[in-house]
Amino acid sequence: MKVLVIGSGPIVIGQAAEFDYAGTQACKSLKEEGHEVVLINSNPATIMTDPGVADRLYIEPLNVDFCERVIARERPDALLPTLGGQTGLNLATQLSDEGILEKYNVRLLGTPLTAIRKAEDREQFRSLMREIKEPVPESWIIQTEDELQAILDIVPYPCIIRPAYTLGGTGGGIADNKETLWETGRKGLKLSMRSQIMVERSLLGWKEVEYEVIRDNKGNTITVCNMENLDPMGVHTGDSIVVAPSQTLSDLEYHILRTASLKIINALGIEGGCNVQLAVNPESFDYYIIEVNPRVSRSSALASKATGYPIARVAAKIAVGLTLDQIENQVTGTTKACFEPALDYCVVKLPRFPFDKFASGDRTLFTQMKATGEVMAIDRSFEAALVKALRGLEVKTKDLSHPKFPPMDDEELALAVKIPTDERLWAVAEALRRGWTIQRVNGLSRIDPWFLHKIMKILNGEVETSPTAYKMVDTCAGEFESATPYYYATNEIESDFVSS
Amino acid sequence: MTGYQEILTDPSYAGQIVTLTYPLVGNYGINDDDLESDRVQPTGFVVREACDAPSNWRSVNTLDGWMGEMGITGIQGIDTRSLTKRIRSGGVTMGAIGDDLDELHHVLEQAKAYDETDFVGKVSTKAPYKWGATGKESVESPDPENRVRLVVIDCGLKFNILRRFWRAGSRPIVLPCTVTAEEVLAWRPDGVLLSPGPGDPRRLEGVVSTVQGLLGKVPIFGICLGNQLLCHAVGGETYKLKFGHRGSNHPVQDLRTGKVTITSQNHGYAVDAASLKGTGAEVTQLNLNDGTVEGISIPDARASSIQYHPEAAPGPWDSRPYFDEFIAQIRSGK
């Protein structure tokens, strides 16, 4: 089969090159199955446009016009749209809407467009959630300025504004009052591809948890991993400090949320990877479904690297009709892709912000992603992983001290702990250094006390972080012998070796 | 990566030292609800790091504080990945926890092999009881109407099995593992459940002969050890796995539908598929990783069993429909 893959396009603020990673994996995966891959991508500075990744390569603008020309010339049998991020998905939607796919008899692979629409169109998604009895926060879909005007007095403040069909939440924000809602809402309407925004109840302070899930066309479903955001709800997950797996959820809570996530991908009929974001009340079993990304996303790239499970590779194989039990787990070589990775380490992701280049930029973080990259570190403890990630961030601060915060008085510091910015972690560390109680810092930042205790341990020098051994990321926590050259350094007794 | 409280109260771990591969244990503390039996069951617990400042809204104690109260020995600071790999290559092994190597060697030399101890007799309930909406009830308590009477032969039950069966519409009546077939039938059961439990199924001749006395007379369902007992009851064989199936991520394929389910597992012995030939029992489910038997069925006797834990706790809920299906099957009289 000849398959057209839409590439990741330009790297922009709000993306972390994850779609290049996913797309490259997908192209290789399709070729493994004997398919011919035609790639169209506007960005020649990506890995996927390197020689040998695709069979045929077009460096052309990612728009309907050029895509149609490539289709007319190459006459592919099928199009795989779910691996190029939102850009690819939007383009595929347009190609389908304008009848181009039908005209050239190109079959769409992977998750059907109807399912993607159901996940991305707020109204359709909410009605599906109501149908399957999964809770979504109270919200309003707005398509015109008149409709926006009408809700200004009804909405509970603070509320969140999310434009539909945009990348990285561009044009979104939080409004504390009518004026801000009016302003941000109007901007969002302009930026949304479909002139649609959602205004919803704010869940500021709730835990934010994500599940990376995969489903095949036979209905087999698995969870690749879950992740917990250190920054509570209110900060875009791309801008949040994230740990994998979740640290403060009990088994019962973990599986309530896992079950909900799997129920959702089954109801949507996803064929491939999917990301489910949930808000979790830190004081009860209550939760809300926040968002579903019906495709390989930034989070799936992170989950992939965090677990060793190649989500894009597996998703591409599912798209061409294989089922999870037929796909080999490349890492162990002896087991199947139909299992759930077990982690025997802790993963910490730190976002990398461009404020060193945009010194006058607004450093406040909210629902619109500002990070341009991320650092991921693996270690046997949270403390060691965080310290390692800090060193890898390539910013002036190499640890938890930042010259900006010691001179601040307590009032200023309290504000720096309360309002999320790219520097909040260092403000939190300074507050703990000043002897502020965990309770006080938690009250201001709503960061879970578990993380604060760990940060305290780093400050107290309680954690040995200099590596003495190398351990393997093997997807199965040592249960099966593996032969993958993916290691992390850690302070442990014994190293893993692969016999060659 | 979660579920340590459930693991520590699971009777199938009786007499064992348990180690967890995930290095950070005790993060969400200990709560009053997630208990799978009345006490801590393993004899020892080995972790990389026990959390001293847990955080969760239901937490009432730290892992260390609770284990101390329960009188169970634990050790932290161990390279548990290295230990896991030793178990993987050398198989499960006898172990001891302490700080004097000579003494530990001595203790291990004196200790009886794991397979020589009757752990089922130790963990099984001594007296019959019933299960209701709020937990254990005395055997005299009246039975609500329209509930399927389910006699459970307790070889090491987890509470969540009873909770799930109650929810599915049954009235569990739990009897000790020493019960005879006649005694079971005297309770007029609509169905019988063979529970999970610790140790080698070959030791349990008494329970096996009880099952033989029940086969064909009443629908039988088995979970984990119950799967192995059903296998022995029809004349099949079981064997010891090198390092068993533990944890919450085992893929099981149903041979009738091809569908794969992610399951929670905890067993060191497995059913020998070849030994089932000519017994009337057939293999219905297989482990996708290693091809071992995960479920058998004896259609003529209305008996079936599974090797994994549909009640989860800890683990995924994907096979929860089993409870409803089982009760529906009894109700339909098929």
Side-chain angles (χ1 to χ4, degrees):
Chain A
M1 187 161 63
K2 197 177 201 180
V3 183
L4 176 66
V5 173
I6 301 178
S8 52
I11 305 294
V12 295
I13 294 181
Q15 254 186 46
E18 61 271 12
F19 302 122
D20 184 23
Y21 171 79
T24 308
Q25 244 186 45
C27 290
K28 288 182 179 168
S29 178
L30 292 174
K31 282 170 77 176
E32 264 173 25
E33 298 302 319
H35 300 298
E36 192 182 349
V37 176
V38 181
L39 174 67
I40 172 164
N41 196 5
S42 59
N43 184 355
T46 54
I47 304 292
M48 63 165 76
T49 48
D50 282 358
V53 176
D55 295 295
R56 313 270 292 153
L57 171 65
Y58 290 86
I59 310 252
E60 299 291 354
L62 291 179
N63 59 33
V64 173
D65 188 29
F66 276 97
C67 256
E68 182 175 4
R69 284 200 238 169
V70 171
I71 289 172
R73 183 164 164 180
E74 289 288 342
R75 301 305 303 259
D77 303 293
L79 168 67
L80 181 54
T82 43
L83 293 152
Q86 195 66 51
T87 312
L89 211 45
N90 286 348
L91 190 49
T93 308
Q94 286 172 313
L95 288 169
S96 165
D97 287 350
E98 293 179 25
I100 292 161
L101 298 183
E102 208 183 338
K103 180 175 163 193
Y104 293 97
N105 199 17
V106 180
R107 189 157 62 93
L108 262 183
L109 297 177
T111 305
L113 277 187
T114 49
I116 287 166
R117 285 208 181 102
K118 246 188 241 174
E120 299 211 319
D121 183 278
R122 310 289 177 182
E123 205 142 5
Q124 285 192 44
F125 179 67
R126 293 172 66 79
S127 85
L128 179 70
M129 290 304 102
R130 272 194 295 272
E131 219 171 274
I132 63 169
K133 296 195 170 64
E134 285 300 332
V136 280
E138 230 178 317
S139 81
W140 295 263
I141 309 275
I142 302 297
Q143 282 168 328
T144 63
E145 289 193 5
D146 287 347
E147 286 175 21
L148 182 63
Q149 180 82 50
I151 63 158
L152 291 178
D153 288 320
I154 320 169
V155 171
Y157 294 95
C159 65
I160 304 220
I161 300 127
R162 293 172 192 271
Y165 297 98
T166 64
L167 196 90
T170 310
I174 295 169
D176 285 319
N177 49 48
K178 279 197 255 185
E179 290 71 35
T180 330
L181 174 55
W182 175 243
E183 241 168 73
T184 316
R186 277 172 50 198
K187 202 169 86 190
L189 282 172
K190 283 197 196 95
L191 286 168
S192 162
M193 197 177 103
R194 301 246 163 136
S195 181
Q196 188 186 96
I197 59 164
M198 180 166 75
V199 177
E200 72 180 12
R201 169 187 290 280
S202 160
L203 296 164
L204 283 179
W206 287 38
K207 292 181 192 189
E208 185 162 357
V209 178
E210 295 173 78
Y211 280 72
E212 282 300 319
V213 286
I214 296 183
R215 179 180 179 276
D216 66 25
N217 61 23
K218 224 161 71 181
N220 296 316
T221 50
I222 59 152
T223 310
V224 175
C225 81
N226 84 338
M227 294 175 274
E228 178 173 356
N229 291 10
L230 180 143
D231 297 285
M233 284 291 296
V235 177
H236 190 282
T237 172
D239 285 352
S240 289
I241 299 173
V242 176
V243 291
S246 63
Q247 301 297 336
T248 66
L249 298 180
S250 66
D251 190 70
L252 187 54
E253 291 161 323
Y254 179 100
H255 287 287
I256 288 172
L257 305 179
R258 177 185 174 280
T259 304
S261 306
L262 295 183
K263 201 163 122 194
I264 291 167
I265 57 164
N266 274 316
L268 284 170
I270 299 288
E271 290 170 26
C274 183
N275 161 265
V276 181
Q277 293 171 17
L278 308 103
V280 183
N281 190 325
E283 299 296 334
S284 74
F285 287 119
D286 290 347
Y287 69 89
Y288 283 113
I289 311 296
I290 298 305
E291 194 178 313
V292 169
N293 285 309
R295 53 177 168 87
V296 169
S297 63
R298 184 194 49 74
S299 292
S300 23
L302 174 61
S304 234
K305 289 168 193 166
T307 58
Y309 190 101
I311 296 175
R313 174 180 183 268
V314 171
K317 292 203 194 303
I318 288 174
V320 292
L322 292 174
T323 54
L324 282 164
D325 56 302
Q326 294 169 331
I327 302 167
E328 176 201 7
N329 176 355
Q330 244 184 344
V331 177
T332 62
T334 54
T335 54
K336 297 294 178 189
C338 195
F339 81 111
E340 305 204 338
L343 278 58
D344 56 3
Y345 48 78
C346 178
V347 177
V348 174
K349 181 241 9 184
L350 295 184
R352 175 69 162 87
F353 294 94
F355 295 117
D356 46 349
K357 297 191 175 69
F358 301 104
S360 60
D362 174 11
R363 309 184 87 116
T364 319
L365 305 179
F366 45 93
T367 54
Q368 180 183 330
M369 184 171 161
K370 293 187 173 175
T372 46
E374 56 194 33
V375 173
M376 186 193 83
I378 303 180
D379 214 309
R380 295 273 286 170
S381 70
F382 169 80
E383 296 92 317
L386 178 62
V387 167
K388 199 185 279 180
L390 282 169
R391 282 198 305 263
L393 207 50
E394 290 185 6
V395 289
K396 279 185 193 130
T397 48
K398 297 276 177 263
D399 53 24
L400 284 172
S401 34
H402 192 301
K404 185 171 179 175
F405 298 106
M408 281 189 178
D409 62 28
D410 278 9
E411 210 174 311
E412 278 178 286
L413 185 64
L415 220 52
V417 169
K418 189 178 175 191
I419 297 169
T421 62
D422 62 314
E423 295 169 328
R424 175 159 74 166
L425 177 64
W426 290 270
V428 164
E430 173 63 19
L432 293 171
R433 236 184 244 115
R434 285 187 194 181
W436 294 15
T437 61
I438 300 273
Q439 213 185 349
R440 182 174 174 194
V441 179
N442 163 256
L444 285 166
S445 65
R446 306 300 298 269
I447 295 172
D448 194 281
W450 187 87
F451 297 107
L452 299 174
H453 274 284
K454 296 286 177 189
I455 292 169
M456 186 89 109
K457 284 194 180 201
I458 299 173
L459 297 174
N460 292 343
E462 279 176 50
V463 188
E464 187 51 71
T465 55
S466 43
T468 52
Y470 293 88
K471 298 270 191 198
M472 193 192 272
V473 174
D474 63 6
T475 71
C476 61
E479 186 178 355
F480 304 103
E481 235 170 293
S482 301
T484 169
Y486 185 8
Y487 291 89
Y488 62 95
T490 183
N491 190 273
E492 272 288 18
I493 292 159
E494 190 183 86
S495 284
D496 293 330
F497 294 105
V498 181
S499 49
S500 49
Chain B
M1 298 168 274
T2 53
Y4 51 85
Q5 182 171 339
E6 291 89 337
I7 287 169
L8 286 170
T9 51
D10 178 350
S12 289
Y13 287 111
Q16 300 179 12
I17 296 176
V18 174
T19 184
L20 297 186
T21 54
Y22 188 64
L24 312 177
V25 186
N27 291 353
Y28 52 88
I30 297 291
N31 62 57
D32 291 329
D33 308 321
D34 301 343
L35 300 164
E36 285 306 314
S37 68
D38 291 329
R39 58 178 182 275
V40 171
Q41 301 286 357
T43 50
F45 198 38
V46 181
V47 300
R48 177 68 185 89
E49 180 187 329
C51 181
D52 54 10
S55 173
N56 186 278
W57 60 285
R58 291 192 299 154
S59 173
V60 294
N61 206 342
T62 62
L63 173 63
D64 187 50
W66 180 66
M67 281 173 57
E69 278 169 26
M70 292 290 168
I72 167 181
T73 306
I75 185 168
Q76 65 168 324
I78 300 296
D79 184 342
T80 45
R81 181 171 169 93
S82 159
L83 182 59
T84 302
K85 284 170 59 197
R86 272 158 214 249
I87 295 168
R88 177 179 84 200
S89 56
V92 285
T93 177
M94 293 290 282
I97 299 173
D99 52 12
D100 180 339
L101 266 186
D102 292 336
E103 194 196 329
L104 289 178
H105 279 298
H106 181 70
V107 166
L108 281 176
E109 276 160 22
Q110 303 293 311
K112 264 203 297 187
Y114 175 78
D115 302 343
E116 287 170 28
T117 308
D118 172 26
F119 289 107
V120 167
K122 284 188 182 176
V123 297
S124 173
T125 182
K126 299 291 173 283
Y129 63 90
K130 291 178 177 175
W131 191 270
T134 56
K136 281 187 180 179
E137 291 176 10
S138 92
V139 277
E140 279 84 36
S141 53
D143 296 323
E145 269 176 49
N146 291 328
R147 282 187 169 264
V148 165
R149 289 173 68 80
L150 179 69
V151 163
V152 182
I153 300 178
D154 177 17
C155 295
L157 256 179
K158 282 164 68 188
F159 286 159
N160 215 36
I161 293 176
L162 300 174
R163 292 183 197 119
R164 300 317 309 180
F165 268 120
W166 169 265
R167 214 177 254 221
S170 78
R171 171 61 153 176
I173 302 158
V174 184
L175 306 179
C177 64
T178 50
V179 74
T180 64
E182 291 68 36
E183 286 166 334
V184 170
L185 293 171
W187 284 93
R188 297 175 290 106
D190 299 315
V192 171
L193 173 74
L194 312 174
S195 88
D200 189 344
R202 283 180 299 196
R203 297 186 50 83
L204 304 173
E205 286 163 8
V207 193
V208 169
S209 73
T210 300
V211 180
Q212 283 166 336
L214 294 170
L215 265 178
K217 294 182 183 135
V218 58
I220 299 176
F221 186 63
I223 297 177
C224 198
L225 177 67
N227 183 47
Q228 298 154 16
L229 293 172
L230 193 60
C231 159
H232 279 290
V234 296
E237 286 298 324
T238 55
Y239 61 97
K240 190 169 185 167
L241 293 163
K242 190 175 173 193
F243 53 89
H245 293 173
R246 320 281 171 199
S248 305
N249 63 347
H250 291 267
V252 169
Q253 188 153 40
D254 193 314
L255 300 176
R256 296 158 294 192
T257 61
K259 184 109 199 258
V260 180
T261 308
I262 304 297
T263 66
S264 180
Q265 302 209 359
N266 174 23
H267 62 105
Y269 299 83
V271 166
D272 177 1
S275 75
L276 292 177
K277 232 179 210 164
T279 62
E282 57 196 47
V283 174
T284 55
Q285 300 179 65
L286 287 178
N287 189 300
L288 199 60
N289 284 341
D290 63 5
T292 54
V293 176
E294 293 288 359
I296 63 174
S297 165
I298 309 163
D300 294 342
R302 293 183 67 199
S304 67
S305 57
I306 51 178
Q307 188 59 59
Y308 51 92
H309 289 263
E311 80 284 4
W317 298 356
D318 303 6
S319 39
R320 268 192 178 176
Y322 258 94
F323 296 97
D324 292 326
E325 284 162 18
F326 177 58
I327 296 302
Q329 210 178 316
I330 292 178
R331 285 217 158 107
S332 72
K334 276 180 209 153

